[in-house]
Amino acid sequence: MRFVYFARVREAVGMDCEERDVPVTVHTVQDCLDWLRQCDGRYAAAFAEPARLRYALDQQMVTADTPLDGYGELAIFPPVTGG
Amino acid sequence: MKQVAVTAEPISTAMALDPLEHLGGGALASFTGIARADCGVVALELEHYPGMTEQNLNALVDEAMARWTLLGCVVIHRVGKIAVGEQVVVVATAAHHRAEALDACAFLIDRLKTDAAFWKKEHRTDGSALWVEAKSTDDARAEKWSL
């Protein structure tokens, strides 16, 4: 799966995107966050405040309980602040 | 007529209004967002999600054109480093009458703030840079347009 990060999350993770093989035990966006947090302290720091995180699967906004089935790209970012 | 653009080049209100001026309508409305010199801010930096951001803007324009009788709609958003005083976003609408043009224009900028994938960082005179936090007042304004 391809992971992409934006803004504060991108800076905390230390990269804008990466490819990772997701373990079979990871089914939802929330599972992904929990798994990445355990992989490295940078993710734990980047995802420390779930209330300030938003997610998109293949560029469609989703909630944390959404299954990853069939999607290729998970984006993790803070609430948007354009305009 | 609809036009959506995300660009790293300088933008202007005139760029957005030009294609709307000769559509036969009696009303043009526009909103222009300008980088402000708040508390030592010297520049903004706008980041976006290529592909998703354009989809978000197109969906908003389609929704505006479905809700109001419009002749045209233009949304231009700048990204990258933007100096204080330069334009960040321009939204413009054309309609036969002012009510449609004004309401659709307000809808587009209110919902752009909460629905389009952009993130804003403020660069200050002391060299520091801080990501702007989303505001609950923006959520409240966007929510007003819920059907």
Side-chain angles (χ1 to χ4, degrees):
Chain A
M1 184 145 212
R2 181 180 158 85
F3 292 83
V4 294
Y5 311 110
F6 292 98
R8 177 170 46 75
V9 175
R10 172 177 57 73
E11 290 182 352
V13 170
M15 64 187 117
D16 53 12
C17 66
E18 61 181 323
E19 295 278 345
R20 277 176 174 264
D21 291 325
V22 178
V24 290
T25 51
V26 169
H27 302 291
T28 65
V29 171
Q30 184 62 54
D31 294 343
C32 254
L33 297 177
D34 295 340
W35 165 60
L36 287 169
R37 279 191 189 101
Q38 288 167 9
C39 290
D40 192 302
R42 286 174 305 153
Y43 298 99
F47 307 155
E49 292 180 81
R52 292 167 71 204
L53 292 178
R54 299 291 182 270
Y55 320 100
L57 281 167
D58 289 354
Q59 306 199 347
Q60 298 295 321
M61 292 293 292
V62 295
T63 50
D65 58 358
T66 308
L68 305 174
D69 308 342
Y71 292 105
E73 182 171 283
L74 171 61
I76 306 172
F77 45 80
V80 301
T81 55
Chain B
M1 178 271 165
K2 69 175 221 181
Q3 185 194 327
V4 162
V6 177
T7 174
E9 302 298 317
I11 63 171
S12 71
T13 311
M15 278 167 63
L17 287 172
D18 278 350
L20 298 173
E21 278 178 8
H22 306 291
L23 298 177
L28 288 187
S30 73
F31 170 84
T32 304
I34 298 169
R36 253 192 339 258
D38 280 359
C39 309
V41 171
V42 288
L44 299 179
E45 191 174 344
L46 267 290
E47 183 169 327
H48 78 300
Y49 186 174
M52 181 169 166
T53 308
E54 289 83 353
Q55 276 182 50
N56 299 149
L57 296 178
N58 273 299
L60 287 177
V61 166
D62 289 345
E63 192 176 340
M65 294 187 94
R67 271 175 88 161
W68 290 277
T69 306
L70 300 175
L71 296 166
C73 238
V74 176
V75 177
I76 304 174
H77 204 299
R78 190 167 168 196
V79 291
K81 200 92 172 267
I82 303 171
V84 160
E86 292 184 332
Q87 299 187 3
V88 180
V89 61
V90 184
V91 172
T93 54
H96 285 296
H97 303 287
R98 73 181 183 283
E100 286 88 352
L102 288 167
D103 287 353
C105 185
F107 162 86
L108 283 167
I109 187 60
D110 285 347
R111 288 280 303 275
L112 181 152
K113 289 260 181 188
T114 57
D115 290 21
F118 292 101
W119 298 273
K120 189 183 286 154
K121 193 179 209 178
E122 292 177 343
H123 291 267
R124 293 169 191 271
T125 42
D126 62 3
S128 64
L130 268 183
W131 290 103
V132 173
E133 295 293 330
K135 297 187 194 78
S136 58
T137 48
D138 285 341
D139 288 339
R141 283 196 70 88
E143 187 61 30
K144 277 196 324 180
W145 296 106
S146 302
L147 289 171

